[in-house]
Amino acid sequence: MGNLLGSWRFKEPSTVEECDSTWGSDSEGDEPAAAGDDSGVSGSVSPADSERAAGEPGERSPQLTDSPDSVPKMKRSFYAARDLYKYRHSYPNYRKSRKPNEYRNLRFYLNKIPLVPDGIYIEEILTKWRGDYDKLEHNHTYIQWLFPLREQGLNFYAHELTQEEIKEFQSTREAKRRFLAAYSLMLDFYGIKLLDKSGNVARAPNWKERFQHLNESQHNYLRITRILKSLGELGYEAFKAPLVHLFLEESLSHNTLPSMQHSVLEYFVYTIRLPATRRRLLRYARKHYRPPHGFMWGPPPKKRGGGGSTGAGSTGAGSSGIRAPAPTPEQQRRGEEMSPSAGSRIIVSSHDAVVYREGAGGGLKGGPSNMAGLEGALMMAGARGERNEYNDIVSL
């Protein structure tokens, strides 16, 4: 029995719908979901379709017009949905390393070892780097140490978190204090200030200058995704929603961060583990998203008439046919099967395009360009043999 359990492997979802349970367990009186609808998205993207849609590294995504019939229509990224599904479900296929647990992330935060390869200690970063925006922008080795995850990033000298290390980190006051200081440091870099110990945030005095930079420097959206994930891993899940709400407000309501819109909705929102919190954020986004028919993130439309299914010709932005809720790992253990991927042509978001450009376009300043090129190419090539199984969306 032990060998059977040791070789068991959770079958990962194969469509966007299977990855997204945001609207599948709604108990807060939302619009009633269509039969079998889980995510309310307008379409799923299979690995093969994502590969075909990658296009040239410099391509820009066509913008939606005010016409509901405008083509091509945006589609959600399967790779983003699957990556964040794995994160929210604590990496169901995670394999514990056979190497001794060295707790290198915790020791870094205790100022006992420097980050590699730069040889810089955490106290130097916290005391000397604040306000040095050029250094924070162009150095690409520190972010994996400041915000560790249970997945590999582009700095292969950084170590993945382990569950044992997470427990030790969360019980170590000095490490937690420095972690919040590092979070505040990065917020300042983005033009945001941390208001209190509950995670509330607001614009910093220099927000105009920093928002302009953030709107143009889109590789920082990958960093923000990593920061949000790390907050959840190290005990600060409640800090995510205030930051994501601020980004939704700035990108959708105030139009101060228009380039960030798709990344907030496709990535940042889905780092949040609690479906009810995701629903609240997406309801806010739906009210302010323009054009309204382009909103792809639910909720599913109300059933009309006697509850019959909507015809193919009248399917709205929130519906693309019959879908089943995402099976849980426990259901998978009972042998339940998942539905196959439904292919459709997609538009690559700016967030995905940044990964592709940095992966295929010569690497990063101050970082290992050969490794960046390898990971970027594997990610966008996608399902060719699942060669990049451990991390389809690369977090910088």
Side-chain angles (χ1 to χ4, degrees), residues 75-106:
K75 300 292 183 181
R76 287 188 59 183
S77 165
F78 169 71
Y79 291 106
R82 185 172 64 174
D83 173 77
L84 294 165
Y85 173 90
K86 292 178 184 178
Y87 166 75
R88 293 195 309 271
H89 289 80
S90 299
Y91 306 94
N93 284 331
Y94 174 80
R95 292 181 177 179
K96 186 176 181 180
S97 174
R98 295 181 180 180
K99 297 179 180 179
N101 196 334
E102 298 179 347
Y103 289 29
R104 293 182 67 84
N105 297 291
L106 177 58

Side-chain angles (χ1 to χ4, degrees), residues 38-83:
D38 173 52
S39 64
V41 299
S42 63
S44 63
V45 181
S46 68
D49 292 317
S50 292
E51 180 181 345
R52 289 196 301 270
E56 294 299 322
E59 282 186 358
R60 292 185 60 84
S61 301
Q63 299 297 312
L64 289 167
T65 69
D66 291 332
S67 170
D69 299 324
S70 62
V71 291
K73 292 184 178 179
M74 296 283 285
K75 300 292 183 181
R76 287 188 59 183
S77 165
F78 169 71
Y79 291 106
R82 185 172 64 174
D83 173 77

Side-chain angles (χ1 to χ4, degrees), residues 40-190:
V41 299
S42 63
S44 63
V45 181
S46 68
D49 292 317
S50 292
E51 180 181 345
R52 289 196 301 270
E56 294 299 322
E59 282 186 358
R60 292 185 60 84
S61 301
Q63 299 297 312
L64 289 167
T65 69
D66 291 332
S67 170
D69 299 324
S70 62
V71 291
K73 292 184 178 179
M74 296 283 285
K75 300 292 183 181
R76 287 188 59 183
S77 165
F78 169 71
Y79 291 106
R82 185 172 64 174
D83 173 77
L84 294 165
Y85 173 90
K86 292 178 184 178
Y87 166 75
R88 293 195 309 271
H89 289 80
S90 299
Y91 306 94
N93 284 331
Y94 174 80
R95 292 181 177 179
K96 186 176 181 180
S97 174
R98 295 181 180 180
K99 297 179 180 179
N101 196 334
E102 298 179 347
Y103 289 29
R104 293 182 67 84
N105 297 291
L106 177 58
R107 290 163 61 202
F108 168 71
Y109 261 102
L110 293 176
N111 210 44
K112 293 181 178 179
I113 62 172
L115 69 82
V116 182
D118 295 344
I120 303 171
Y121 285 83
I122 180 66
E123 273 301 311
E124 180 179 348
I125 295 174
L126 297 178
T127 57
K128 297 183 179 180
W129 286 31
R130 191 177 186 91
D132 192 341
Y133 299 141
D134 285 339
K135 182 173 291 184
L136 291 169
E137 172 66 20
H138 296 300
N139 186 301
H140 293 273
T141 60
Y142 70 90
I143 197 73
Q144 296 88 357
W145 287 87
L146 287 189
F147 301 98
L149 299 176
R150 284 190 286 163
E151 57 189 69
Q152 185 67 59
L154 289 185
N155 182 352
F156 280 77
Y157 295 103
H159 286 242
E160 299 174 25
L161 277 172
T162 64
Q163 291 176 325
E164 294 81 4
E165 187 175 23
I166 289 173
K167 292 178 183 178
E168 287 292 327
F169 199 108
Q170 292 180 358
S171 63
T172 306
R173 181 177 298 181
E174 183 181 356
K176 292 169 64 178
R177 175 184 63 79
R178 288 196 175 108
F179 180 75
L180 288 181
Y183 180 52
S184 176
L185 171 79
M186 293 306 296
L187 289 181
D188 175 74
F189 174 54
Y190 297 134

